Amino acid sequence: MSKQPVSRRQFLNYTLMGVGGFMAAGMLMPMVRFAIDPVLAEGAAGEFQTTNQKVDELTSTPVRVDFSYEQQDAWYTSEVTETAWVYKDENGEVVALSPICKHLGCTVNWEGDNHKNQFYCPCHGGLYEKNGNNVPGTPPTAPLDKYPTKVKDGFLQLGKPEPQTIA
Amino acid sequence: MNWNGKDVESYKQQKEYIDTAIMPLAPVSFGAEMKEAASQYEFIQLLTMLLEKQFKGRTLLLPPFSYQSKKREEDKIAALNSWSEELREAEFKHIFYFTSDSGWKLVEDKLDGTLIWVPSVPLEHMEPSYKYSLIEEQAKQFINIIAHKWQQ
Ligand code: FES
């Protein structure tokens, strides 16, 4: 047993390193591609998705707007659906809030469970004001994220949600 | 939370908030029911994914409990009850099983957890957007069931 030129452990180490090497190469390759082709990297960020929501139909009451788009990751292209709560504020500006609770990520509802004029999270009772500010004393510790908005041919377009700072 | 490294990390840190386990029950067979079993699972998978998205902060979506359709009823029940036992030990207060296998409906009272039986809809020839709204429609009633259980 002791006379083996390559021990079991060594053999395993070598083979695993080999596999690891391939995997590292696989991970590096796309990174190199991004490094030499910044245009490619641009495309992913800062993109606006068009929704079915007509901007002139929005009122001061938040409505749910669902929108889908194709997302590509390393494995497959999939259709993702996102949701926003959208309304017009006192100045007629469009406000689009992410429904994802800042506590642990459940989906919040406008006036859920009879909470007048607030967003309600059914998971642990998180509450947010209409502008997205979290209500102190409930689990969330930050306001709801906000979507950048644009209008195209009368339809609402939404970008990537961004964190809000408490006003 | 999903069954992946990142979500499980959050689970470990926030355990006291995540008290609900969702487990799909998926029969597998290669005979006449193969196609039906597969399309039922497709449906259950999409449905539970949607529920996870809705209730991410309080639920953990587990990998499916899969079993051979031909297995004896008692064995399936015993296997599933061994899961619920372990889940209770891990301090899950609420357990939901989602399945399209009507066999479970008959033995519901022998299980520790809430059985949600959903007649599945064949999805294979459906437009993606139609598929989504259909599953979402279905999901709504289960959202209510789960939220209701929490309030009890
Ligand atoms: S996830 Fe919303 S309150 Fe906990």
Side-chain angles (χ1 to χ4, degrees):
Chain A
M1 272 305 252
S2 56
K3 281 273 160 69
Q4 277 181 354
V6 179
S7 76
R8 234 174 110 83
R9 171 168 306 228
Q10 273 172 333
F11 172 74
L12 267 177
N13 271 341
Y14 290 144
T15 16
L16 286 180
M17 258 158 52
V19 174
F22 270 120
M23 281 171 47
M27 284 182 332
L28 270 174
M29 236 99 95
M31 287 196 242
V32 172
R33 214 177 56 188
F34 279 121
I36 55 177
D37 194 350
V39 187
L40 220 72
E42 272 302 289
E47 234 173 59
F48 277 79
Q49 308 293 340
T50 308
T51 68
N52 289 328
Q53 178 65 48
K54 287 207 182 92
V55 172
D56 55 16
E57 284 173 3
L58 289 168
T59 65
S60 61
T61 307
V63 287
R64 233 187 102 152
V65 175
D66 287 326
F67 61 105
S68 310
Y69 55 93
E70 294 219 315
Q71 195 179 52
Q72 212 172 350
D73 66 21
W75 288 272
Y76 42 78
T77 312
S78 50
E79 171 128 325
V80 284
T81 302
E82 273 188 61
T83 301
W85 286 107
V86 189
Y87 63 94
K88 280 185 183 152
D89 68 12
E90 318 79 74
N91 310 320
E93 300 278 349
V94 176
V95 178
L97 297 173
S98 159
I100 298 177
C101 182
K102 296 299 271 188
H103 178 222
L104 292 173
C106 291
T107 304
V108 303
N109 292 311
W110 174 246
E111 299 195 333
D113 205 38
N114 289 321
H115 290 275
K116 279 275 156 274
N117 227 18
Q118 286 178 321
F119 291 100
Y120 171 73
C121 178
C123 284
H124 316 102
L127 287 171
Y128 301 85
E129 306 293 353
K130 189 176 175 183
N131 63 12
N133 282 354
N134 52 303
V135 174
T138 68
T141 51
L144 294 171
D145 288 353
K146 210 177 200 167
Y147 283 97
T149 63
K150 269 193 198 171
V151 184
K152 194 186 169 200
D153 305 329
F155 286 94
L156 176 71
Q157 287 190 314
L158 299 173
K160 284 259 161 291
E162 291 159 1
Q164 295 195 71
T165 41
I166 305 178
Chain B
M1 302 287 156
N2 282 301
W3 187 250
N4 62 38
K6 185 168 156 258
D7 283 6
V8 165
E9 217 167 83
S10 324
Y11 167 75
K12 293 229 154 195
Q13 284 159 11
Q14 313 280 348
K15 218 165 172 268
E16 69 273 29
Y17 289 108
I18 304 160
D19 64 356
T20 304
I22 296 181
M23 192 180 237
L25 312 181
V28 179
S29 86
F30 302 96
E33 302 122 53
M34 182 175 178
K35 162 86 189 289
E36 202 193 344
S39 77
Q40 286 183 347
Y41 178 57
E42 183 185 358
F43 180 78
I44 292 291
Q45 207 181 6
L46 292 173
L47 179 69
T48 47
M49 272 166 61
L50 213 86
L51 291 171
E52 188 280 335
K53 197 170 157 196
Q54 187 77 28
F55 291 137
K56 188 171 198 61
R58 190 163 171 183
T59 59
L60 178 63
L61 174 58
L62 293 162
F65 169 69
S66 69
Y67 50 92
Q68 295 166 277
S69 304
K70 63 177 187 203
K71 268 265 157 70
R72 294 204 336 245
E73 220 49 66
E74 307 89 89
D75 295 343
K76 293 181 201 168
I77 297 171
L80 189 56
N81 283 341
S82 147
W83 274 112
S84 53
E85 215 173 280
E86 188 164 354
L87 288 166
R88 296 294 178 199
E89 271 166 36
E91 285 165 49
F92 283 99
K93 275 208 220 66
H94 307 277
I95 303 175
F96 291 94
Y97 303 119
F98 280 82
T99 190
S100 295
D101 178 353
S102 52
W104 293 107
K105 205 63 198 140
L106 306 169
V107 296
E108 196 176 357
D109 51 331
K110 298 200 177 99
L111 304 176
D112 173 21
T114 308
L115 180 74
I116 297 187
W117 179 76
V118 203
S120 86
V121 186
L123 300 171
E124 53 268 30
H125 305 300
M126 234 175 247
E127 280 276 309
S129 61
Y130 184 65
K131 187 152 103 180
Y132 186 85
S133 51
L134 185 129
I135 293 180
E136 201 179 37
E137 249 337 286
Q138 292 263 340
K140 270 191 202 144
Q141 36 172 317
F142 303 120
I143 288 172
N144 289 334
I145 293 178
I146 294 175
H148 185 76
K149 271 269 165 198
W150 283 342
Q151 274 159 15
Q152 276 174 10

